[in-house]
Amino acid sequence: MDYLWWKHGVIYQIYPRSFQDSNGDGIGDLDGIIERLDYLNNGTNHSLGIDGIWMSPTFPSPMKDFGYDVADYEDVHPDFGTLATMDRLIDEAHKRSIRIILDFVPNHTSSDHPWFRESRSSVDSPKRDWYVWRDAKDDGTAPNNWIAVFGGPAWEWDQKTQQYYLHSFLVEQPDLNWRNPQVERAMHNVLRFWMERGVDGFRIDVMDRILKDPALRDNPPNPDRSWGRLMGVTGLQQHTQDQNWPDIVDAVRRIRSTVDEFPDRMTVGEVFGTPENIVRYYGGETSDGLHLAFNFSLTRLVGERWNAANVRKRVDAFESALPGAAWPNIVLGNHDIDRFISRVNHDGRGAARGRAAAVLLLTLRGTPFIYMGEEIGMPNTDVPEHRLQDPARFHHRNRDPERTPLQWTAKGGFSNSEPWLPYGDLSINVAAQEKDERSMLTLYRKLIWTRRASKALTLGDYAAIDGLPADVFAFTRAHGDERTLTMINFANDGVAFDLPKALRAGETLVSTHGEPNAGGRIELAAHEGRLVRLM
Ligand code: TEU
Ligand code: CA
């Protein structure tokens, strides 16, 4: 069959610290994930029905950046389990046709990684060049003006060896030097290590920074101040020298050829910028780069900017930038950004928009990524000051509100003891929603299982529909004779319209609003999302 798991399936992101704690230490772990696999897919529509899970990092780490500071790429942090637990998770997931995607963090290691300890021990260390070390300028200042994503200069002075090292994120996250072939080889061997254990793919962290300007020239200032709010301090500069450097794509192609040593594996890279920039990472017309590069463009539509015209514009821009064989993907949230519902809650209607957005996420063309908790409509959790954990809080927005434990029951159900981050509003929970025909969880299940059964939705072509009321975004998906129509009403009021002559709506497959009207004229309720089969 033409079905490819990473292309036509649905991927679910787990933030492992917050999914399920199995041993009562308040921290989620791999055994907890194993316990909950049937929730994700037990082969019936009483489960979510996803095809793969991407887990944020589970490697040994001092947890300065909650695992994105890796101290050993080939082991498991004891908080999460052991290599044997990981093997069991891979096995149990595969029994349920769930693929496992690990989070590969190539741009930087932890400063506790043995490679960095060795590198910083002396200027003559054989691993000195595994990281980016430079002398101070004549006046003692840093080699250039680059700033760290989490604030402050991207250079840290090392007293002992009298040089600066580069860290694009925390001081405890030194950047690897991918211009050194030994580094590249070692990191490719990490990929092989996990693929040999049965891992199906990799989400690649900070893909767009692994190579920088070899001359380390200054970034120019950013005249566009509107970026500041969203991107924190990084918005102060244009990242022409330290991000999206042209030859990263060559390194990506080499990663792809290593991944292709094993059958049926995939990569999805974290890349920022315009659609034109993002699609470069797919490898262009030859499609020999990443299988997928995250399309974050919908996550940028905050507040009133989440409307029919903008959503359509962004979907179409990505579609038209993609080279022939490349495949899109849809993202509404992740562990770094406000939860969707909170992002569009400027007038208190975030939850309704969340339901309509689910219809969008699961019927647009491309691989949907669900961030754990979206399927029950979790908003941001207010985390009191004394419970905050994320180190990024000093410099720009804190990421704890979207990282709180998944709410399984009215009592929490995540852990027997106090979770590492507090629960939010526990009236939003899996157990209650499983029993409720009109819940968000039921909606997600219906959408996913409808999608699974439909070639139009999984494989089909996409075409937006013109000439509808301004608040409606509608599109068809078509494969062979099968055609579906998605209609989303972004307005706070109902809307009525006639479909273009060529489209005759048949059976309604899913709606956010229960039983929709029958008959020729379409009436959508405020924030209704509806999926129908076309006749
Ligand atoms: O994020 C990369 C990144 O650019 C983020 O810093 C993002 O801009 C920020 O979190 C928005 O608030 C990745 C991971 O997803 C993130 O969790 C890590 O902290 C970061 O890399 C460093 O590894
Ligand atoms: Ca635990």
Side-chain angles (χ1 to χ4, degrees):
M1 169 153 168
D2 24 352
Y3 184 89
L4 273 173
W5 69 272
W6 58 267
K7 193 168 177 183
H8 309 118
V10 177
I11 314 289
Y12 183 88
Q13 181 192 355
I14 288 182
Y15 195 69
R17 291 183 77 81
S18 294
F19 189 66
Q20 179 66 58
D21 173 23
S22 72
N23 62 353
D25 64 0
I27 299 172
D29 46 57
L30 299 184
D31 271 319
I33 298 174
I34 294 170
E35 284 171 25
R36 295 293 189 182
L37 284 173
D38 283 337
Y39 167 77
L40 297 176
N41 195 346
N42 70 3
T44 79
N45 61 8
H46 298 290
S47 65
L48 207 48
I50 54 92
D51 299 80
I53 53 188
W54 148 35
M55 296 188 291
S56 284
T58 49
F59 314 105
S61 161
M63 295 287 168
K64 298 285 186 211
D65 190 19
F66 290 101
Y68 285 96
D69 47 330
V70 179
D72 181 352
Y73 288 103
E74 301 184 352
D75 205 344
V76 172
H77 192 291
D79 282 354
F80 296 125
T82 63
L83 273 177
T85 340
M86 183 66 91
D87 289 342
R88 211 153 52 76
L89 170 58
I90 294 168
D91 198 44
E92 289 295 323
H94 286 173
K95 281 185 196 157
R96 295 165 177 83
S97 303
I98 298 172
R99 305 306 212 288
I100 298 287
I101 300 171
L102 295 190
D103 209 316
F104 180 56
V105 187
N107 181 69
H108 43 267
T109 68
S110 161
S111 50
D112 277 359
H113 195 295
W115 297 343
F116 188 69
R117 289 171 180 243
E118 170 59 45
S119 181
R120 81 185 312 175
S121 66
S122 136
V123 288
D124 303 317
S125 160
K127 290 217 163 49
R128 186 64 169 181
D129 185 49
W130 280 42
Y131 294 83
V132 185
W133 291 96
R134 286 293 184 283
D135 290 334
K137 284 188 184 159
D138 289 343
D139 64 0
T141 57
N144 66 25
N145 74 346
W146 297 355
I147 44 188
V149 175
F150 296 152
W155 295 94
E156 181 72 2
W157 179 247
D158 183 58
Q159 196 56 40
K160 181 169 168 223
T161 59
Q162 296 284 300
Q163 279 191 316
Y164 282 97
Y165 69 83
L166 180 67
H167 61 91
S168 297
F169 292 84
L170 296 173
V171 169
E172 296 89 349
Q173 291 170 299
D175 283 34
L176 282 163
N177 175 20
W178 274 71
R179 299 212 176 273
N180 180 329
Q182 292 177 355
V183 169
E184 184 167 57
R185 208 171 311 130
M187 292 302 280
H188 281 225
N189 284 336
V190 169
L191 298 172
R192 294 188 181 98
F193 173 88
W194 288 111
M195 289 190 287
E196 273 158 15
R197 297 193 97 90
V199 162
D200 302 284
F202 303 95
R203 178 266 187 184
I204 307 182
D205 189 62
V206 191
M207 183 79 267
D208 57 6
R209 285 181 186 256
I210 65 168
L211 294 168
K212 289 95 179 168
D213 175 6
L216 300 176
R217 282 165 293 197
D218 279 1
N219 279 326
N222 185 4
D224 174 7
R225 305 304 309 219
S226 65
W227 278 91
R229 193 180 53 83
L230 210 60
M231 297 297 289
V233 288
T234 58
L236 298 171
Q237 298 181 347
Q238 294 176 265
H239 294 276
T240 54
Q241 317 304 117
D242 65 349
Q243 198 172 16
N244 296 312
W245 191 257
D247 68 352
I248 296 178
V249 177
D250 302 326
V252 167
R253 289 200 169 97
R254 294 191 292 270
I255 288 175
R256 171 64 178 263
S257 75
T258 292
V259 169
D260 281 349
E261 291 169 11
F262 296 75
D264 216 18
R265 311 300 154 110
M266 69 85 81
T267 52
V268 52
E270 187 195 30
V271 178
F272 295 98
T274 60
E276 289 67 31
N277 176 59
I278 290 162
V279 303
R280 284 193 309 120
Y281 289 81
Y282 282 84
E285 289 302 334
T286 44
S287 279
D288 53 356
L290 298 173
H291 297 77
L292 300 172
F294 279 128
N295 173 12
F296 293 125
S297 61
L298 294 184
T299 72
R300 304 299 192 215
L301 295 174
V302 176
E304 282 165 6
R305 298 180 61 215
W306 179 261
N307 60 45
N310 284 342
V311 169
R312 174 176 176 177
K313 209 185 304 160
R314 298 218 164 189
V315 169
D316 288 352
F318 201 77
E319 278 281 350
S320 59
L322 272 181
W327 186 249
N329 64 90
I330 327 291
V331 178
L332 296 179
N334 65 30
H335 63 296
D336 289 334
I337 49 185
D338 282 316
R339 282 194 175 273
F340 178 81
I341 281 180
S342 300
R343 213 184 302 138
V344 295
N345 199 35
H346 47 285
D347 57 2
R349 297 179 209 235
R353 290 191 180 92
R355 292 175 65 85
V359 180
L360 203 60
L361 173 70
L362 292 157
T363 65
L364 275 170
R365 176 178 178 264
T367 307
F369 282 83
I370 299 173
Y371 177 49
M372 132 193 150
E374 264 166 22
E375 78 277 21
I376 58 168
M378 278 176 66
N380 278 0
T381 299
D382 274 326
V383 180
E385 188 72 33
H386 71 279
R387 297 285 304 267
L388 291 178
Q389 303 277 346
D390 180 19
R393 70 176 172 278
F394 302 111
H395 307 298
H396 60 151
R397 67 169 296 276
N398 170 271
R399 298 171 294 179
D400 292 326
E402 61 267 23
R403 295 177 175 185
T404 59
L406 188 60
Q407 301 177 170
W408 294 99
T409 68
K411 292 203 169 86
F414 160 75
S415 175
N416 305 330
S417 58
E418 186 61 29
W420 75 289
L421 279 174
Y423 295 118
D425 170 5
L426 283 173
S427 69
I428 301 169
N429 69 73
V430 170
Q433 294 196 18
E434 279 188 322
K435 289 184 258 148
D436 179 357
E437 261 304 294
R438 294 188 332 214
S439 70
M440 185 73 141
L441 182 57
T442 303
L443 176 66
Y444 263 83
R445 286 180 178 175
K446 275 189 198 155
L447 285 165
I448 294 174
W449 286 94
T450 304
R451 179 189 164 92
R452 290 181 75 93
S454 162
K455 285 200 170 182
L457 291 174
T458 45
L459 323 176
D461 297 336
Y462 157 89
I465 297 167
D466 295 317
L468 298 182
D471 283 319
V472 175
F473 173 37
F475 54 89
T476 56
R477 300 288 312 284
H479 184 269
D481 307 335
E482 189 197 348
R483 286 196 308 161
T484 63
L485 166 68
T486 297
M487 298 173 282
I488 313 279
N489 177 16
F490 284 75
N492 285 340
D493 304 299
V495 62
F497 56 91
D498 293 308
L499 286 173
K501 287 272 177 306
L503 305 176
R504 267 185 59 220
E507 176 200 7
T508 294
L509 300 172
V510 185
S511 163
T512 51
H513 283 65
E515 284 305 300
N517 67 298
R521 196 166 165 80
I522 301 284
E523 289 170 27
L524 298 178
H527 301 292
E528 179 168 352
R530 190 187 301 175
L531 171 67
V532 303
R533 197 187 296 287
L534 288 173
M535 298 198 291

